[in-house]
Amino acid sequence: MESKLLFGDAVAFATPTLAVFAGDTQTEKSADPKPALLAAAPEIAAAAQNLLVSGEFKAAAGEVAVLHAPAGLKAERLLVVGLGKAKDLSAEALRKAAGTAVRAAKARNIRSLAIGFPDTTTLPTVANLNASLAARAIIEGAEIAEPDWNTYRSDRKDLAVELMLIADQKQQAEIQRGFDEGRIVAAAQNFARSLVNEPGNVLTPTVLGARAKAMCNEAGLKCEVYSSDKIQELKMGAFWAVAKGSAEPPALIVMTYEPPTTPADDAPVLGLVGKGITFDTGGISIKPADGMEKMKYDMAGAAAMIGAMHAIARLKPAVKVIAVICSAENMPDGRAYKPGDVVTAMSGKTIEVVNTDAEGRLVLSDGLHYAKTLGCTHLINAATLTGAISIALGSLNFGVFSNDDATCERFMDALAISGEKAWRMPCTDDYRDYIKSEIADIMNTGKNRYGGAISGAMFLKEFAGDTPWVHLDIANMAWNETPKPWLPYGPSGVAVRSIIEWVRSFAA
Ligand code: BES
Ligand code: ZN
Ligand code: ZN
């Protein structure tokens, strides 16, 4: 998407469509909505006046109304976009509304859209939003809404939209900064989504490695891509157990970001570890055929980390970051690992394999341990780890688990900036019994299916050890099944924005 920021008068701007935001200022519970514009220009207020008093437009999130040939404006159309309740107005509401504007434009075959930067002073109920965060949210929402994941449809049409954000001269520097950051963050999220969108026959571990390497070369990051030999040489017995059942070689991808000024010896080094199963059949514990095609997105955790590294390279926070991606296919085969096998992880812990479909925790166990040997002082991993996280949380919050309150708090604080929703789940030592094995140090499933997402987290916690660590189980949100007014069907790029903010919090 081509996005530009212009400082000037939206009223005098010639565009096929000018979008402005409106919030519902009604505070009484069951009373009719009272929509009000977040635009100060009297010409815009006059053009929207009849619509706003008609009762037809409620200013709900995801709602739009189109007014043609608005008098007094240079724009051919005025697109009024709902924000929801004005008293709850947040950067996230702007993110969704900007996305709604872009998707509404696409649906109407409008190829060029201008968004008027919201003027919150028109709404006395709204505390002034931080201009930088508002600009950032708008640009992120718009850029994330734009792609349709129809790459493989031969009848697809190029409906790309170009966007102009039009702000007046007030707070120019803040708006510019938010706009620039938003473009970087949205590009990272869209890059992650483009990887998740690829089918398993295209995006093998080797190809994932090549795409990560190409990104790193372009962004100026160091990147090494290893395969079977290195994995065995490092004694990554858990990772190798999963990988050896596929004809496709695995990939161990290590990306390093060095900050512009050399940090102090005791400065934190952040480790970003991603589950990169490019297809998960379940292995010998094979999955049912119904829905198995979705398991191409079992590399969404890896994609989130690769995407985050793209943004980190461009935002240049003052903290060293190392990303470790463990990528393999989980296949049934004559050489595949089997239930009952005992494998030794790189850390030396022995693992009884009870179910070969719990492969994500195996590859990550070696990834987490390896990141520690590379000097990481704080770890975060992202993984489509368990179906059980959907049972626990539905698809509105992804799961957060941690062994350290302070490091977890940083992540929860990052959500306030990213606008993403996540819920902290228990990961306390009293759950350790769930993964106790009679045969080996631990087993790779829980004793039963209850608390399945917690069993997965407890397994990973063994390998984080004393290192502060956060685990994101994104299996419930990595793929958007139901299109929303601001987000199309397909890969969501969930967690990318929050991981970037978590990293930046260490540089502050
Ligand atoms: N990749 C799956 C988890 C998953 C499920 C991701 C649905 C996305 C959507 C994972 O490898 C898996 O199969 N987990 C098992 C673990 C069980 C065998 C302990 C699960 O959740 O059933
Ligand atoms: Zn699995
Ligand atoms: Zn999996």
Side-chain angles (χ1 to χ4, degrees), residues 275 280 287 295 297-298 355 357 359 384-387 475:
K275 169 179 174 181
D280 182 10
K287 287 178 181 293
M295 285 304 108
Y297 73 74
D298 211 17
N355 190 317
D357 197 10
E359 83 298 339
T384 46
L385 203 70
T386 68

Side-chain angles (χ1 to χ4, degrees), residues 275 277 280 282 285 287 294-295 297-298 330 355-361 383-390 444-446 448-449 452 455-456 473-476 478:
K275 169 179 174 181
I277 300 297
D280 182 10
S285 315
K287 287 178 181 293
K294 301 216 168 73
M295 285 304 108
Y297 73 74
D298 211 17
N330 188 20
N355 190 317
T356 63
D357 197 10
E359 83 298 339
R361 60 199 75 180
T384 46
L385 203 70
T386 68
I389 198 66
S390 304
N444 79 331
T445 64
N448 52 48
R449 63 197 181 87
S455 304
D473 192 339
I474 58 169
N476 58 339

Side-chain angles (χ1 to χ4, degrees), residues 128-153:
N128 266 354
L129 265 182
N130 171 318
S132 167
L133 274 185
R136 179 173 159 180
I138 290 169
I139 203 67
E140 285 175 3
E143 300 240 5
I144 289 157
E146 207 265 345
D148 279 294
W149 301 99
N150 55 5
T151 332
Y152 289 99
R153 291 265 296 263

Side-chain angles (χ1 to χ4, degrees), residues 440-504:
D441 296 340
I442 47 175
M443 60 181 178
N444 79 331
T445 64
K447 284 217 160 57
N448 52 48
R449 63 197 181 87
Y450 299 111
I454 305 175
S455 304
M458 289 306 294
F459 185 95
L460 298 180
K461 189 182 174 190
E462 292 289 311
F463 298 90
D466 295 333
T467 306
W469 152 85
V470 182
H471 154 52
L472 312 177
D473 192 339
I474 58 169
N476 58 339
M477 292 181 68
W479 193 264
N480 185 35
E481 285 293 339
T482 18
K484 300 176 179 75
W486 50 83
L487 196 71
Y489 169 87
S492 67
V494 71
V496 172
R497 299 203 306 268
S498 304
I499 294 163
I500 295 168
E501 283 323 308
W502 182 81
V503 167
R504 294 176 92 196

Side-chain angles (χ1 to χ4, degrees), residues 284-331:
I284 298 297
S285 315
I286 199 161
K287 287 178 181 293
D290 217 16
M292 202 206 272
E293 74 284 356
K294 301 216 168 73
M295 285 304 108
K296 69 169 191 169
Y297 73 74
D298 211 17
M299 37 57 73
M305 295 314 184
I306 298 170
M309 289 304 279
H310 187 216
I312 290 161
R314 298 173 72 191
L315 292 167
K316 305 199 189 317
V319 59
K320 180 170 173 173
V321 187
I322 303 172
V324 175
I325 305 299
C326 301
S327 183
E329 259 188 358
N330 188 20
M331 297 289 277

Side-chain angles (χ1 to χ4, degrees), residues 18-107:
L18 173 66
V20 292
F21 302 120
D24 175 13
T25 57
Q26 181 59 268
T27 50
E28 299 295 319
K29 264 248 158 76
S30 42
D32 289 340
K34 259 201 260 169
L37 285 186
L38 276 78
E43 294 88 342
I44 297 178
Q49 171 68 9
N50 289 345
L51 172 72
L52 297 188
V53 298
S54 70
E56 287 169 24
F57 179 78
K58 301 176 173 55
E63 189 183 2
V64 295
V66 190
L67 300 169
H68 285 258
L73 306 188
K74 271 272 164 58
E76 291 164 34
R77 302 176 195 78
L78 185 63
L79 186 70
V80 188
V81 187
L83 285 166
K85 286 281 179 209
K87 70 169 173 45
D88 304 329
L89 182 58
S90 60
E92 180 56 12
L94 288 175
R95 200 177 271 108
K96 286 182 174 157
T100 301
V102 168
R103 298 223 47 89
K106 281 194 91 168

